[in-house]
Amino acid sequence: IDIVARMDRLCDELGLDTIETGGAIGMAMEAGQLEWGDGEGALALMEKIDKGDELAEAVGRGVCAVAKMFDIERVPAIRGQGIPAWEPRTLNATGVTYATSSMGADHTAGLLIMVPEGLSEAHASQEAQLVNALCDSSGFCQFQQPKIDDIRELYGAMYGEEISFEDAADMGWQCLLDEWAFDEKAGFTRDQNDLPQWCREEPVPENGAT
């Protein structure tokens, strides 16, 4: 745990995302550049990220950069972003979010541990993505888990005017439309809205490890 804390602090100092960096180190282990579970080795590698070391620089660029360096096909990433600990093979609705959100494997775009009764996984993901887009673009913190009514009521109080549920929902939906339009201009197409093939073919190991 002390090594993990030191790695976390180093990510802060280097300006790196902890999830992406952890996945990139996992790719280095997959490629045989580090022994599995070698915390000291991983920390030493991270300390070279800004020192001109080729492998360390690839780790700093993320999961896909390390996978490309070693021609690894089994890559835990969607639309270029490393998959976080929220497993899409067991949390299927979250898998839908990973496959369809503008950010790829982004658990903050619409994490779903349980699907509300009466909703399909796709519908639940869509609603979660809408609420999270509204939350992100209105200044609310997702840890508060605000609902659309919470956001519209507090914004109405701040601006002194009534904001309807539909108006608030439309703001979230417009945000999603803008993000998808940006992705299309950046070269991401709808046929890329999918999970990696290994996610569809490989079962989750019985011991829960991935």
Side-chain angles (χ1 to χ4, degrees):
I1 190 73
D2 289 339
I3 292 176
V4 172
R6 287 160 63 193
M7 293 169 68
D8 179 78
R9 176 62 180 266
L10 192 53
C11 280
D12 291 342
E13 293 175 353
L14 292 168
L16 298 176
D17 179 74
T18 53
I19 294 173
E20 190 71 32
T21 304
I25 290 171
M27 284 284 91
M29 292 177 177
E30 178 87 359
Q33 301 301 301
L34 288 171
E35 291 293 327
W36 181 254
D38 181 4
E40 290 288 358
L43 181 60
L45 182 61
M46 286 184 63
E47 289 173 340
K48 300 176 186 176
I49 286 176
D50 60 345
K51 304 294 191 302
D53 182 88
E54 187 178 8
L55 174 58
E57 286 188 359
V59 168
R61 291 195 298 274
V63 170
C64 291
V66 179
K68 183 177 180 180
M69 175 179 282
F70 297 101
D71 199 26
I72 299 172
E73 294 185 1
R74 185 183 181 274
V75 185
I78 300 171
R79 203 170 287 120
Q81 177 152 262
I83 296 176
W86 306 101
E87 169 63 73
R89 291 176 293 177
T90 55
L91 300 176
N92 295 154
T94 296
V96 174
T97 297
Y98 291 168
T100 60
S101 78
S102 63
M103 288 292 290
D106 179 7
H107 65 292
T108 69
L111 174 64
L112 285 154
I113 307 298
M114 297 182 65
V115 175
E117 188 175 350
L119 294 184
S120 67
E121 291 165 348
H123 191 175
S125 172
Q126 183 185 69
E127 288 199 355
Q129 289 187 58
L130 188 153
V131 172
N132 284 357
L134 177 60
C135 179
D136 287 343
S137 56
S138 59
F140 281 78
C141 173
Q142 287 190 10
F143 282 117
Q144 296 172 314
Q145 296 186 315
K147 296 180 171 55
I148 291 177
D149 271 331
D150 299 324
I151 296 173
R152 74 171 187 84
E153 287 175 6
L154 288 169
Y155 258 74
M158 184 170 73
Y159 288 111
E161 62 181 65
E162 180 71 20
I163 299 175
S164 71
F165 181 94
E166 289 75 17
D167 286 341
D170 285 346
M171 292 178 200
W173 185 248
Q174 186 60 54
C175 181
L176 293 177
L177 291 175
D178 292 342
E179 290 176 352
W180 291 327
F182 179 93
D183 271 12
E184 287 184 9
K185 290 180 180 179
F188 294 107
T189 56
R190 288 180 179 243
D191 61 357
Q192 294 172 299
N193 289 354
D194 204 349
L195 300 177
Q197 193 63 32
W198 65 266
C199 273
R200 294 185 174 279
E201 295 175 347
E202 294 183 22
V204 177
E206 292 183 3
N207 65 2
T210 58

